[in-house]
Amino acid sequence: MSAIIEIDHLSKRYGSGTAALNDVSLNIEEGEILALLGPNGAGKTTMISIICGLVRPTGGTVRVGGHDIRTDWRAARKLIGLVPQEILLEPFETVRDCVRFTRGLYGEGPDEAYVEQLLRSLALWDKRDAKTRELSGGMKRRVLIAKALSHRPKVLFLDEPTAGVDVTLRREMWQVVRELSAQGVTVILTTHYLEEAEDMADRIGVINKGELLLVKPKAELMGEFGKKHLTIDLY
Ligand code: ATP
């Protein structure tokens, strides 16, 4: 495996506040599912936002597919898809138009065959002509994923994809993530839920107060704790 994302001594301070991210270094390997676990305010969204180019770091570097996000951003962003925490959709557009539109934002030309394949793989094909405001919460989250994958990124970030959703929908989201991973997409997800990290991830990173406390393969972590479930005393 080789690293698709290289994070080196990354820091972020908003204004004069305390560090939201403090000297974080981490390589994310191609094809893995990495869960970033941490309580409210730990720095998870900040880290993702920096990698996705939405927030400027105070210090350190990030390379995506070898491209430095500060100097070679266009190439880096093509490799990344982001599913944000909030459900932000174009309410009066159809599902298919939403995905086409996002593809256009990435500078990609039309590719109806790919859009169809994507919608089918996310079980959205039957809803392709529905306006997004008419959809259930679960379907809306699927549309967000379709949008994030519209330009065929190699890496998908999911920022708390299951926050506030019920157990059935949570399990449905996990299944979608597993299928994406099986297709070779590298997946980084943030979560508050230990069981989600346990169930989904190849590796688990724990963030608290801007510090990356540890990153380990799940099996190793669970072995160390010697219990069926991980117990990490952050909450
Ligand atoms: P949550 O699980 O609640 O989404 P998080 O782990 O994603 O939390 P961040 O949103 O990255 O954490 O926040 C890290 C810290 O940075 C928090 O103390 C937060 O208040 C602060 N912060 C985040 N965004 C901003 C901003 N735009 N301006 C000022 N402070 C911010």
Side-chain angles (χ1 to χ4, degrees):
M1 281 210 288
S2 60
I4 185 136
I5 296 180
E6 299 155 88
I7 301 167
D8 202 24
H9 297 294
L10 196 62
S11 295
K12 175 66 188 178
R13 192 177 291 276
Y14 293 101
S16 56
T18 54
L21 216 55
N22 188 16
D23 198 25
V24 169
S25 295
L26 169 68
N27 277 0
I28 300 170
E29 307 295 332
E30 210 165 335
E32 77 170 320
I33 303 179
L34 173 72
L36 292 172
L37 187 65
N40 285 128
K44 305 179 299 293
T45 301
T46 298
M47 185 162 146
I48 285 187
S49 302
I50 292 172
I51 301 169
C52 294
L54 302 173
V55 166
R56 196 185 289 265
T58 319
T61 58
V62 177
R63 297 168 77 83
V64 180
H67 305 287
D68 189 315
I69 59 161
R70 288 168 310 178
T71 54
D72 205 2
W73 168 236
R74 277 178 201 284
R77 70 174 276 188
K78 291 233 174 204
L79 300 177
I80 294 175
L82 169 65
V83 180
Q85 238 174 76
E86 297 89 25
I87 296 182
L88 297 167
L89 287 170
E90 300 77 7
F92 298 103
E93 299 293 343
T94 66
V95 168
R96 184 158 45 177
D97 282 346
C98 249
V99 176
R100 287 171 173 151
F101 173 67
T102 310
R103 213 181 131 73
L105 289 181
Y106 278 93
E108 300 288 330
D111 184 342
E112 290 304 307
Y114 176 64
V115 171
E116 179 173 343
Q117 179 200 323
L118 188 55
L119 294 181
R120 284 189 188 281
S121 73
L122 290 164
L124 282 169
W125 185 243
D126 289 350
K127 299 283 182 192
R128 62 191 177 279
D129 295 322
K131 303 255 193 311
T132 61
R133 68 187 168 131
E134 296 162 5
L135 301 177
S136 68
M139 284 293 168
K140 283 182 180 151
R141 285 187 188 268
R142 284 171 180 267
V143 177
L144 285 176
I145 296 176
K147 276 161 62 82
L149 293 171
S150 66
H151 59 296
R152 297 179 191 255
K154 289 181 153 216
V155 184
L156 184 67
F157 287 93
L158 296 143
D159 197 1
E160 291 180 35
T162 60
V165 308
D166 69 25
V167 175
T168 312
L169 181 51
R170 198 178 300 165
R171 292 194 188 286
E172 189 184 308
M173 294 297 297
W174 294 358
Q175 188 56 33
V176 170
V177 168
R178 278 195 205 96
E179 281 162 17
L180 290 171
S181 174
Q183 291 163 27
V185 177
T186 304
V187 178
I188 296 108
L189 63 98
T190 68
T191 181
H192 290 187
Y193 303 117
L194 225 49
E195 60 160 335
E196 185 157 270
E198 269 184 55
D199 201 279
M200 296 297 307
D202 301 313
R203 276 199 306 165
I204 297 175
V206 179
I207 299 189
N208 196 24
K209 296 181 183 158
E211 308 269 350
L212 185 61
L213 299 179
L214 57 87
V215 192
K216 291 197 174 176
K218 180 178 58 183
E220 201 179 305
L221 256 184
M222 291 175 75
E224 272 179 25
F225 283 85
K227 293 179 186 161
K228 188 168 174 289
H229 294 285
L230 300 174
T231 51
I232 298 168
D233 190 18
L234 294 176
Y235 298 86

